[in-house]
Amino acid sequence: MPTDKTVPRQTTVPELINQARILSDQGAVQDALLLYNHAFDLAQRPGAGHDAVFKTIILDDVEKFLSKIDPEEIQKFSRIKNLSIPPDLFDYWAGYKFARIGDSDNAANVLNAFLEKYPNHPKTEWVKGLLANLGSIVFNKKKIGVILPMSGKYKLYGQKAMRGIELALARLSESGIKDLSIEVKDSMSDPEHAARCVDQLGKNNVFSILGPILASKQAADKAQVLGIPMMALTQKTEFPQYGDYIFSNFITPEMQVQALGSYVFHELGLTRMAVLYPDDNYGNRYMQVFRQMVEQFDGQLTAAQVYDGSQTDFSASIKELIRNTRLRFQALFIPDSVSRINLILPQLVYHDAKGFTLLGTNLWHKDSLLKETRRYNRNAVICDGYFSGSANPETVWFDRAFQDLYQERPGFLEAIAYDSAQILFTAANADDVDSGRRLKDVLQGQFIFDGATGSTRFDKTGTPHKRLFLITIKDDQFMEINTR
C-alpha cells in the first residue's frame, strides 16, 4: 500500500484536485484517493484560502469516486493510518456498495458498525433503511427498467423503441427465457427527469436499465451510484465513460467510417480517398473521423473539400475538388443527408466527376436515393446499423415478425432496442450472474450477441463494437455486400 507517496510542498490544492481527477479517470484508485486526501489536509490548514469551498469540492469528488469502486477497495484504503478525509465516508460507501451487490453479511456488519460509531450522522435514517431492506435486495433477473421519451418532442422515438422491446420479449419467450417483465418510465424527453426515473427503478429492484435515448449524465451518475447496469441508446461516445456500470448500444461515426475503411482498403484495395463534406457539425465530425481512418490504414487523403450545405448549387466546390485532385482519387466520401446527396450526385456527373467509388453514411439509406438519383448512384457503398434485406438469420426473423405484428417495416431504432433488450435479459440469464456487478462483468467480458443489427460485443469501458451492414445499389435496389 503506497502510504509513503509524497507530493511537492508547492503543489496547490486545485492542482492536487486536478491530478486526482486524472488518476481517477485512469482507474488508479489508491493514488487518486491519496491525492484527494493530501488536498483535503492542505485545505484544512490555517491560511489555505477558500478552504470551505475546496473541502466541499474534494468531498463531492471523493463520494462520486467511491460510488464507482468496489467495497473491498474502499475498505483497503480506509485502513491507511492518519487519513484526513472523514472516515464515515468510507464506512458508509463500503456498506452501501456491499448492499447493492447483494453481499448481505458484509453489508450488515459494516452498516451496523456505522450506526454504532456515528449515531447522530445525517445518513443514520438512510442506513437504517438499507439494513431493514437487506433481505429484500435480491437480483431479480426477470425484470428490467426501461427509460424512454413516451411524451414530449421525442416521443416518436420512444414509441419506436418500445415496439422493438416488446418483440424482444416474445422472441426470448420463444427461446425458453420466460416470465420476463419490463417497467417503463417516461423520461418526458428531459435528461433531468430521466435521472429521477433511475431512482424510481432502483427502488423497484430492476436488475438493469435500457435507455434513455437522450444521453443524460445525471441518469448515468444515478445508475452508477446504485450499481445498476444501464444500456443507453445513444451515439455519444463519451457516455460509457461515466462509470463502469454504464453502456451504450448504437452506431457511431467512428463505427461507420471504420467499416467503410476496412472494406475499401482491404476488400477493394483502394488507397486514395477524397472527402466532400458540408460545413456543419455533422459534416465536420465525419470529415475528421474519416481523415483519422485514412491515416490508420496508411492511405492517402487527396482532398477534403467543404461546401455550404444551405445552398442547392454545389458547382463551385465540385470544380475546386476536381482542380485540386484532377480526380486522382479512387473513392469519394460524402457525409450528408439524402436530400442533399440527391442534388450532389447529378452535379458530380454533370461536371464529369466519375469513375470512383462513392462512400456514404446511414443517412444515404433511404428509398429516395433509389428514385431520385437512379442514373448517378452506381458504384456506391453505404454503411448502416440495420438492413432489412440482410441474409443474417436473426435479421430475417426480426424483419418478418415485426412486419407481421405492426404492418410496417422496422428501422434501426426498433432493431437496436430489440437487440438491447435481448442482450440484457440473455446475459442476466446465465447461472453465475447473481448481481449487477456480475452482469456488467459478463457484458464487458467475452459476451458476443448475434441479433437483428448483427454481432455486438462490449469492451471494458462499456463501448459497443458492432459489425455493421455494408450496402450497395443494384438494379435500383439496395443490396447487401456480403463480407460476413
Side-chain angles (χ1 to χ4, degrees):
M1 203 170 290
T3 56
D4 59 344
K5 185 175 180 70
T6 60
V7 181
R9 289 182 179 276
Q10 66 270 22
T11 305
T12 65
V13 171
E15 288 171 339
L16 287 168
I17 293 172
N18 287 332
Q19 291 172 22
R21 287 173 175 174
I22 292 171
L23 288 172
S24 67
D25 288 340
Q26 295 172 347
V29 175
Q30 297 285 322
D31 289 345
L33 286 172
L34 282 166
L35 284 181
Y36 277 126
N37 186 73
H38 190 76
F40 193 78
D41 180 57
L42 290 180
Q44 294 188 101
R45 295 179 183 178
H50 306 293
D51 56 327
V53 174
F54 286 142
K55 285 194 288 187
T56 299
I57 292 172
I58 293 165
L59 293 179
D60 285 346
D61 272 15
V62 169
E63 289 217 67
K64 289 176 184 176
F65 190 37
L66 294 177
S67 74
K68 298 178 181 180
I69 61 179
D70 293 334
E72 293 86 356
E73 284 278 6
I74 298 173
Q75 290 184 316
K76 180 180 178 182
F77 185 83
S78 70
R79 297 188 189 105
I80 297 176
K81 295 180 180 180
N82 302 318
L83 290 175
S84 298
I85 296 173
D88 59 292
L89 282 185
F90 303 115
D91 294 341
Y92 168 76
W93 280 104
Y96 178 82
K97 296 290 283 188
F98 275 128
R100 285 308 309 176
I101 65 175
D103 190 341
S104 298
D105 291 340
N106 274 319
N109 290 336
V110 174
L111 293 173
N112 279 316
F114 180 94
L115 292 177
E116 289 181 14
K117 287 192 283 185
Y118 319 107
N120 299 316
H121 196 278
K123 285 188 167 69
T124 294
E125 292 305 315
W126 178 252
V127 169
K128 289 179 179 178
L130 276 175
L131 284 167
N133 291 311
L134 275 183
S136 63
I137 299 178
V138 294
F139 186 71
N140 180 7
K141 59 176 67 181
K142 296 290 187 179
K143 181 171 73 172
I144 66 172
V146 175
I147 302 176
L148 293 173
M150 304 309 292
S151 62
K153 61 181 178 179
Y154 298 110
K155 68 178 181 180
L156 177 62
Y157 300 120
Q159 293 166 356
K160 286 177 175 290
M162 270 305 304
R163 289 183 170 187
I165 294 169
E166 289 168 354
L167 189 54
L169 294 177
R171 180 64 161 164
L172 288 161
S173 179
E174 181 183 276
S175 66
I177 306 177
K178 300 182 181 296
D179 302 321
L180 305 178
S181 65
I182 59 175
E183 182 170 339
V184 183
K185 296 293 182 183
D186 181 8
S187 69
M188 300 182 182
S189 304
D190 175 25
E192 291 186 3
H193 188 74
R196 292 192 286 272
C197 292
V198 175
D199 269 336
Q200 295 167 7
L201 291 171
K203 292 175 182 177
N204 293 339
N205 202 26
V206 300
F207 77 81
S208 64
I209 295 174
L210 199 170
I213 287 179
L214 299 177
S216 168
K217 185 179 185 304
Q218 302 99 309
D221 287 343
K222 286 283 187 182
Q224 179 68 33
V225 167
L226 294 173
I228 303 175
M230 167 180 278
M231 187 171 291
L233 305 180
T234 176
Q235 67 170 341
K236 298 292 186 182
T237 54
E238 68 273 15
F239 189 78
Q241 298 172 12
Y242 295 146
D244 58 341
Y245 282 82
I246 308 304
F247 299 78
S248 64
N249 194 22
F250 219 71
I251 55 173
T252 66
E254 289 79 7
M255 286 182 192
Q256 294 194 58
V257 168
Q258 192 69 28
L260 290 170
S262 295
Y263 180 70
V264 297
F265 280 98
H266 291 161
E267 301 294 330
L268 300 184
L270 309 183
T271 58
R272 298 189 305 277
M273 308 288 135
V275 183
L276 182 63
Y277 67 100
D279 190 13
D280 56 26
N281 290 337
Y282 184 88
N284 281 288
R285 182 179 181 191
Y286 268 92
M287 184 275 292
Q288 293 294 341
V289 173
F290 192 83
R291 183 191 296 276
Q292 294 167 5
M293 179 274 295
V294 173
E295 292 176 356
Q296 173 193 338
F297 284 100
D298 294 325
Q300 179 183 359
L301 187 62
T302 61
Q305 180 62 51
V306 70
Y307 59 83
D308 184 352
S310 65
Q311 304 298 315
T312 57
D313 184 356
F314 306 99
S315 297
S317 295
I318 291 173
K319 289 177 181 178
E320 188 71 15
L321 176 69
I322 295 171
R323 184 164 45 250
N324 291 337
T325 65
R326 297 183 182 180
L327 297 179
R328 290 176 181 170
F329 52 83
Q330 298 164 303
L332 177 64
F333 179 49
I334 315 177
D336 208 343
S337 64
V338 73
S339 59
R340 284 205 286 259
I341 296 301
N342 290 338
L343 297 174
I344 292 172
L345 296 190
Q347 292 182 38
L348 283 170
V349 175
Y350 177 80
H351 291 285
D352 207 28
K354 51 189 177 181
F356 45 80
T357 298
L358 291 165
L359 304 179
T361 70
N362 62 315
L363 298 187
W364 286 39
H365 191 195
K366 301 288 188 295
D367 288 341
S368 65
L369 184 73
L370 304 175
K371 299 173 184 177
E372 298 183 27
T373 63
R374 183 169 297 177
R375 293 183 296 161
Y376 312 107
N377 57 29
R378 297 168 185 168
N379 208 24
V381 178
I382 303 165
C383 187
D384 204 347
Y386 178 72
F387 180 50
S388 63
S390 173
N392 176 34
E394 285 300 319
T395 308
V396 171
W397 187 95
F398 171 74
D399 188 66
R400 289 177 180 171
F402 192 95
Q403 292 192 57
D404 288 344
L405 185 60
Y406 298 110
Q407 304 303 307
E408 63 180 64
R409 291 169 58 186
F412 174 72
L413 184 53
E414 293 93 330
I416 198 68
Y418 166 85
D419 278 357
S420 298
Q422 287 207 88
I423 287 170
L424 291 172
F425 274 122
T426 302
N429 193 59
D431 292 338
D432 59 343
V433 174
D434 56 4
S435 68
R437 179 170 65 173
R438 181 60 187 144
L439 174 60
K440 64 99 173 173
D441 288 343
V442 167
L443 290 173
Q444 293 170 354
Q446 302 300 314
F447 183 85
I448 299 176
F449 178 80
D450 292 316
T453 61
S455 64
T456 303
R457 70 173 180 85
F458 301 90
D459 62 24
K460 291 294 184 183
T461 70
T463 299
H465 296 264
K466 306 179 72 66
R467 190 171 183 178
L468 303 185
F469 296 87
L470 292 175
I471 305 161
T472 190
I473 299 170
K474 185 177 180 181
D475 298 328
D476 298 326
Q477 297 292 325
F478 289 118
M479 301 289 291
E480 182 178 20
I481 298 174
N482 189 6
T483 62
R484 296 168 184 268

